[in-house]
Amino acid sequence: MGLNILKKVPNVNFIGYRKVAFLISAALLVLGIGSLVVKGGPSYGIDFAGGINVQLKFQNEIELPDLRDALETIGHEGMTVQRFGMEGDNEYLMRLVQSDIETDVLRQEIDAVLAEAMAEAGHEIQRVEMVGPKVGADLRQKALEAMFYAVLLIAIYISGRFEQRWWAAGIMAASLSGAMYLLGLIGIDTGFLTIIALLVALGLCWRLKLNYALGAVVALVHDVFITVGIFSLLNKEFDLTIVAALLTIIGYSLNDTIIVFDRIRENLRNRISKDFGEVINRSINQTLSRTVLTSGTTLLVVASLFIFGGGVIHDFALALLIGIGVGTYSSIFVASPILLVFQPQEEEPNAPAPAEA
């Protein structure tokens, strides 16, 4: 017998709250996308923008303006200094947009300046990382492509598993690849090309009536955009660790959505109600105990990483905290209501059950 925290299956009308949920999602998306537009896109870390990062740690507490004044005496242009990690860690991150400086020379310059200006603070240079601008642009392009192909493969998998429509999914993939190739010949920026590709994928799911895939993909795009938007609102940098977090969020959100979809498909086959909204409500309530347990325990682990993991994985843990919370919400309040709008065809009572994955 599985572990349940709810003594009996609840009877919450989740579908009845879908309009409120859509308003909340729309508000978060508008805020996040608005922030990205105002700021000219995400704030890229050196992984994507190129430059040099220097992580500093002090034994004693110091004032950020004093550190900034001391480091400015080195004379390099385009320097920013900010606190790194949690309050009280006494860790700071110095960033230079230049990438033509010898890292050993820079390390010696910083040591000399801090030893003279802040000798009592006891500094330590924990790491010096440099990435060239071309490498950063290549990494940015690869990261966007990775997220797009992850979503596309998920759409194909869900179409095949839940609707047994591998041919339609293959047509969608071929059409999308052709469209992206033609648009790529025009020389469109990779970021815009990825957004266009996602919109085309959603349009093809709708046109080919791949309803389960449509619901899942909309929920995944919803989760990624809200996480990136909140990072923009918090002025957090966007680097390779955040891309890793986004891919993790896509996988986690998909797992939650598939659990709910699987129960919906099973209840449709058993014809527990003629009202499709009631079928969805019953399915969400039947899987609610598992959802709360899985998300709750995962969030506890990620919250521990966020609090105790140190500055290096602080933003990674923050992205996971946001994404897992939003992913759990979207599987109930985004993916399932979209399935209600684009209602899949009912299976014949005597039809053979689709193979389980």
Side-chain angles (χ1 to χ4, degrees):
M1 178 181 291
L3 177 63
N4 290 305
I5 59 170
L6 304 174
K7 292 183 178 179
K8 62 179 183 179
V9 176
N11 187 28
V12 182
N13 183 13
F14 290 104
I15 290 299
Y17 295 120
R18 66 185 184 280
K19 292 181 180 177
V20 176
F22 285 163
L23 286 175
I24 293 172
S25 293
L28 289 173
L29 287 170
V30 168
L31 278 174
I33 293 173
S35 173
L36 289 169
V37 171
V38 169
K39 296 175 181 176
S43 173
Y44 292 120
I46 66 162
D47 293 344
F48 295 143
I52 299 177
N53 268 352
V54 182
Q55 184 180 339
L56 299 165
K57 183 173 178 60
F58 292 87
Q59 294 175 1
N60 303 313
E61 189 173 348
I62 62 166
E63 295 295 328
L64 180 59
D66 294 341
L67 175 62
R68 190 174 288 129
D69 291 342
L71 293 174
E72 281 180 349
T73 60
I74 297 175
H76 294 303
E77 296 180 356
M79 184 194 73
T80 57
V81 183
Q82 63 188 52
R83 192 177 292 277
F84 188 65
M86 301 290 288
E87 192 80 28
D89 287 346
N90 294 330
E91 292 186 35
Y92 296 85
L93 196 66
M94 170 188 173
R95 178 178 172 183
L96 291 172
V97 296
Q98 295 173 263
S99 58
D100 56 349
I101 307 168
E102 292 289 338
T103 54
D104 290 340
V105 173
L106 180 63
R107 183 186 286 270
Q108 291 170 8
E109 290 176 340
I110 294 171
D111 268 331
V113 164
L114 295 182
E116 180 179 349
M118 310 181 78
E120 71 287 353
H123 78 276
E124 177 190 355
I125 300 178
Q126 295 195 314
R127 63 183 169 109
V128 180
E129 296 176 344
M130 180 182 72
V131 176
K134 185 175 186 314
V135 174
D138 289 344
L139 287 173
R140 190 165 66 238
Q141 179 178 345
K142 297 295 182 188
L144 288 169
E145 288 177 358
M147 284 193 285
F148 166 69
Y149 284 113
V151 172
L152 177 61
L153 291 173
I154 285 168
I156 295 171
Y157 165 71
I158 290 181
S159 301
R161 173 175 173 176
F162 286 92
E163 298 177 290
Q164 299 295 293
R165 302 186 62 197
W166 293 103
W167 279 107
I171 291 171
M172 177 184 70
S175 304
L176 192 57
S177 299
M180 291 307 101
Y181 175 75
L182 293 175
L183 289 172
L185 293 178
I186 303 173
I188 297 177
D189 178 75
T190 307
F192 288 112
L193 189 61
T194 304
I195 293 174
I196 293 171
L198 287 173
L199 293 175
V200 171
L202 289 173
L204 287 170
C205 286
W206 171 75
R207 188 71 181 87
L208 296 169
K209 299 188 182 306
L210 302 173
N211 301 306
Y212 285 98
L214 182 63
V217 171
V218 169
L220 296 180
V221 173
H222 166 276
D223 299 345
V224 169
F225 270 81
I226 285 184
T227 305
V228 173
I230 292 176
F231 257 62
S232 176
L233 288 168
L234 297 176
N235 293 318
K236 294 287 186 182
E237 287 190 347
F238 198 81
D239 56 24
L240 280 176
T241 61
I242 306 306
V243 173
L246 292 177
L247 290 171
T248 307
I249 291 166
I250 288 173
Y252 186 90
S253 176
L254 176 69
N255 179 61
D256 233 21
T257 303
I258 282 180
I259 295 296
V260 176
F261 280 4
D262 213 28
R263 186 56 61 91
I264 291 172
R265 183 183 61 171
E266 186 178 318
N267 285 336
L268 277 177
R269 198 184 305 146
N270 293 332
R271 299 184 182 280
I272 64 168
S273 172
K274 292 182 179 179
D275 184 349
F276 189 50
E278 175 60 22
V279 173
I280 293 178
N281 260 333
R282 290 276 294 276
S283 303
I284 296 174
N285 279 294
Q286 287 170 351
T287 56
L288 190 61
S289 181
R290 179 199 177 281
T291 301
V292 172
L293 270 173
T294 307
S295 299
T297 50
T298 308
L299 284 172
L300 276 176
V301 173
V302 177
S304 300
L305 286 176
F306 177 74
I307 297 170
F308 304 112
V312 174
I313 61 169
H314 184 266
D315 287 353
F316 174 77
L318 176 62
L320 287 181
L321 271 178
I322 297 169
I324 290 173
V326 175
T328 305
Y329 158 87
S330 70
S331 65
I332 296 174
F333 290 108
V334 177
S336 299
I338 285 176
L339 198 59
L340 175 66
V341 176
F342 300 97
Q343 195 170 141
Q345 292 180 344
E346 291 188 17
E347 296 178 17
E348 294 297 330
N350 296 324
E356 297 290 344

